[in-house]
Amino acid sequence: LAAAQERIEQAEQQALDLQLQREAGGDDLQTLEDALRVQRDQALQLLRTALRLYSPADGREQLVDVQFRLAYLSLKQQDAWGALSIAELLARQNRGTEIGLRSAAIALNAYSDLLQSSGASAKSELVEHLEPFARYLMTVWPTSTEASAAASAIVQLSLVAGDVEKAESFLAQLPENNALAAKLRRELGIKLFEEYLEAKKDESIEAAQVEQLRSKALSSLEAGCRSL
């Protein structure tokens, strides 16, 4: 474990050097990137070995530490599924703790990477997995940035999918003074107002329902604009 930590620290320094070289317009970036990947791969191998050699006598804290580092490095190595499978489990097993919340942050980053690289069908499945995790975060760490980020992601994805009801459900749990939440409330208000205009043209929809849509749209727009 100590050897793995040494390589992680070396990798962090290499990552910083690489960033500085990028900003300076360095011409040997590929060599630095390759060296960084090798360093992280070696750390991953050492952590997997530590996991295989783990025994109950080592204590649960050490096991959690190894798993957390595995999740972190897997994310750095663009293995989002590997990072997610470990980090979300750690977040659920370590309810209400700092390591649990840090694991949740890794899991959310992994979800973000996967959502950005997935097609419509795969994205829909990912949202189904993310939704209960977001609810879990809002229950266990309601005031955390991680809970807000997860809820905001569900709201955005729901609006894109046209699921206004789900968007409203998650948005209601976000604080009003949150800048992103205010933006999402405005987007929801616009979506609801568009629905109101369509409903207004439809003679089969009762006037009370049309007015309810209008009222909800204006209410959401007003709530979103209060933070401007």
Side-chain angles (χ1 to χ4, degrees):
L1 186 57
Q5 179 57 31
E6 181 181 350
R7 280 168 175 76
I8 291 172
E9 291 172 358
Q10 290 171 351
E12 292 298 321
Q13 183 58 53
Q14 287 177 318
L16 178 59
D17 292 342
L18 177 59
Q19 182 61 34
L20 292 173
Q21 284 294 317
R22 283 200 183 104
E23 292 173 358
D27 55 5
D28 197 20
L29 299 181
Q30 189 60 54
T31 300
L32 292 173
E33 289 173 357
D34 291 343
L36 176 58
R37 179 167 289 278
V38 168
Q39 195 76 261
R40 285 174 172 164
D41 280 340
Q42 290 178 349
L44 279 169
Q45 291 170 11
L46 288 165
L47 287 170
R48 287 169 183 145
T49 298
L51 200 57
R52 286 196 299 271
L53 296 175
Y54 170 81
S55 71
D58 295 321
R60 183 179 181 277
E61 186 176 335
Q62 182 171 316
L63 175 62
V64 171
D65 186 35
V66 171
Q67 291 172 324
F68 176 81
R69 292 169 198 267
L70 272 172
Y72 171 79
L73 280 175
S74 295
L75 185 65
K76 291 292 185 181
Q77 291 294 71
Q78 286 81 54
D79 179 12
W81 277 116
L84 178 59
S85 63
I86 300 170
E88 183 169 344
L89 181 63
L90 282 175
R92 290 183 179 280
Q93 289 180 337
N94 295 274
R95 183 185 181 95
T97 67
E98 181 184 354
I99 195 70
L101 188 56
R102 290 171 65 195
S103 297
I106 292 176
L108 290 176
N109 277 308
Y111 270 118
S112 177
D113 288 351
L114 290 167
L115 286 166
Q116 289 177 33
S117 62
S118 297
S121 178
K123 187 172 291 187
S124 178
E125 291 182 14
L126 280 167
V127 173
E128 288 182 11
H129 287 286
L130 175 57
E131 185 178 338
F133 187 53
R135 292 190 187 281
Y136 169 75
L137 295 182
M138 288 187 290
T139 299
V140 179
W141 295 283
T143 61
S144 69
T145 56
E146 288 78 7
S148 292
S152 298
I154 293 295
V155 173
Q156 289 174 311
L157 293 164
S158 298
L159 287 174
V160 170
D163 191 341
V164 173
E165 187 176 342
K166 183 182 292 184
E168 286 180 301
S169 170
F170 276 88
L171 195 50
Q173 300 178 64
L174 290 171
E176 284 200 18
N177 59 354
N178 181 291
L180 178 56
K183 176 178 178 291
L184 292 172
R185 286 188 175 91
R186 292 193 295 274
E187 290 179 5
L188 174 61
I190 292 170
K191 182 73 174 176
L192 288 168
F193 200 79
E194 289 173 352
E195 289 191 3
Y196 155 70
L197 293 176
E198 288 299 316
K200 194 176 179 182
K201 299 175 188 175
D202 191 338
E203 294 181 359
S204 67
I205 300 178
E206 294 182 4
Q209 288 180 271
V210 175
E211 181 56 32
Q212 185 180 35
L213 270 175
R214 178 181 177 278
S215 178
K216 286 172 65 177
L218 292 178
S219 176
S220 186
L221 285 168
E222 288 170 2
C225 290
R226 277 199 293 269
S227 298
L228 289 176

